[in-house]
Amino acid sequence: MVHNVALVLGGGGAAGNAWEIGIIAGLAEAGLDMTEAADLVVGTSAGATAAAQVRSGIPPAELLASVLSPPVQPVGQNRERPPSLPMAMVFERMGAIGAAATSAADLQRAMGAFGLESDSILGPGAGQRRAMVAARLPRPEWPERPMIVVAVNAHTGELAAFDRGSGVELVDAVTASCALPGLVPTVSINGTRYIDGGVRSLDNADLASGYAHVVVLSPLGGRSGPPPEGQFEGLRRLPGADLGSQVEDLRKQGSRVEVITPDAGSRTAMGTNQMDPATRIPAARAGFAQGKQEATRVTFL
């Protein structure tokens, strides 16, 4: 294989993003700095924000310190709450879409249609949403080193893998990757609208194909049983879109893959509603503690 190390950062809400940064900082504390080791970083949904943080050139300890600090309100941002739909209704609709889908492509198209339909109510909040995402990015520009941000074309359901060469601003790519249908507006880029990359796959680990070593941080990969109440990430995953299938395929291609999912302490810290910003600090701290332990397992780097 030509390439060496890929780091895959999966979706998982506010808690998942913070946990991933905690893991990265914990690994670095134990001597494994993935911000330097990774030749490619793949980010989906909350993991897209984490990818931009990991690729920012900021040391892992400083990234963790930023997560543990109170958030800063973007200058000029409207402090009024953007338009919204009832969360219970949104997740009920998503569950129905997942239950009716007969293929991953069918699910992605239906979720895109739901996102476009919801824009009639959510659309006025698009500017505010973009400003919120921009405030989370350490740098406004794409990094020099390879990074992929995953979204889904809302019109066709097809994969959109944005990178430095896509001609798309980083903030727009990350905002698209985090555009959860029914909860936030779709994102318009060059006349096409996009939704959350997690609609295709929570992790999109298959995009690390061709890399000899793959490390996957999956905030929800270790979940079993019914999804926690109010959690998009726990909805039905069709064959090929689940992490297990993607990891198996990578290994068949010759990649050595290590998957890190939340341990018991991290799951407790992340709580049952990973979209709640209040979970960020406990999730980051738990991830840091777990990361220091996981370094002994990621021995192939």
Side-chain angles (χ1 to χ4, degrees):
M1 290 188 174
V2 176
H3 305 292
N4 191 24
V5 181
L7 172 65
V8 176
L9 301 172
N17 169 269
W19 174 79
E20 288 174 327
I21 296 303
I23 290 285
I24 295 293
L27 290 172
E29 179 78 6
L32 177 56
D33 187 351
M34 290 302 298
T35 68
E36 294 294 334
D39 299 301
L40 170 71
V41 180
V42 178
T44 299
S45 197
T49 305
Q53 293 166 322
V54 166
R55 275 294 195 234
S56 66
I58 298 173
E62 292 183 25
L63 292 175
L64 178 61
S66 179
V67 175
L68 298 176
S69 301
V72 177
Q73 183 82 0
V75 176
Q77 180 177 316
N78 184 354
R79 293 177 181 270
E80 294 182 4
R81 293 180 64 85
S84 63
L85 294 169
M87 186 172 289
M89 182 274 285
V90 170
F91 287 106
E92 181 179 353
R93 178 73 178 275
M94 288 182 180
I97 290 172
T102 57
S103 68
D106 186 32
L107 184 148
Q108 289 158 212
R109 285 192 296 269
M111 290 286 276
F114 176 41
L116 293 170
E117 172 193 325
S118 302
D119 278 349
S120 62
I121 296 173
L122 304 177
Q128 185 174 350
R129 175 68 179 171
R130 186 180 190 275
M132 290 172 60
V133 173
R136 300 172 187 160
L137 303 181
R139 304 276 188 269
E141 64 279 344
W142 283 92
E144 294 286 344
R145 300 181 68 193
M147 179 176 82
I148 295 173
V149 172
V150 186
V152 168
N153 184 314
H155 307 280
T156 66
E158 294 175 328
L159 165 71
F162 296 116
D163 61 16
R164 183 180 175 85
S166 298
V168 174
E169 289 190 42
L170 177 61
V171 62
D172 290 322
V174 175
T175 305
S177 187
C178 300
L180 190 57
L183 289 184
V184 298
T186 63
V187 175
S188 179
I189 300 175
N190 298 328
T192 300
R193 294 196 169 272
Y194 296 91
I195 58 172
D196 197 303
V199 167
R200 177 182 185 264
S201 165
L202 290 178
D203 306 286
N204 292 291
D206 57 317
L207 298 185
S209 177
Y211 282 77
H213 307 292
V214 181
V215 178
V216 181
L217 305 190
S218 182
L220 292 162
R223 295 278 180 173
S224 60
E229 183 178 355
Q231 295 298 293
F232 154 73
E233 294 88 350
L235 295 176
R236 181 184 177 204
R237 310 316 305 173
L238 291 162
D242 63 291
L243 179 58
S245 297
Q246 294 178 350
V247 168
E248 182 180 359
D249 287 344
L250 287 171
R251 287 174 175 158
K252 285 180 179 178
Q253 295 168 25
S255 298
R256 188 168 179 181
V257 185
E258 195 67 61
V259 178
I260 299 176
T261 59
D263 62 14
S266 291
R267 287 196 299 270
T268 298
M270 293 166 77
T272 58
N273 181 7
Q274 282 130 326
M275 294 181 183
D276 184 355
T279 61
R280 286 182 59 77
I281 289 177
R285 287 175 173 162
F288 179 66
Q290 182 182 349
K292 289 190 289 184
Q293 299 299 318
E294 297 287 0
T296 61
R297 187 157 63 91
V298 188
T299 56
F300 55 75
L301 300 183

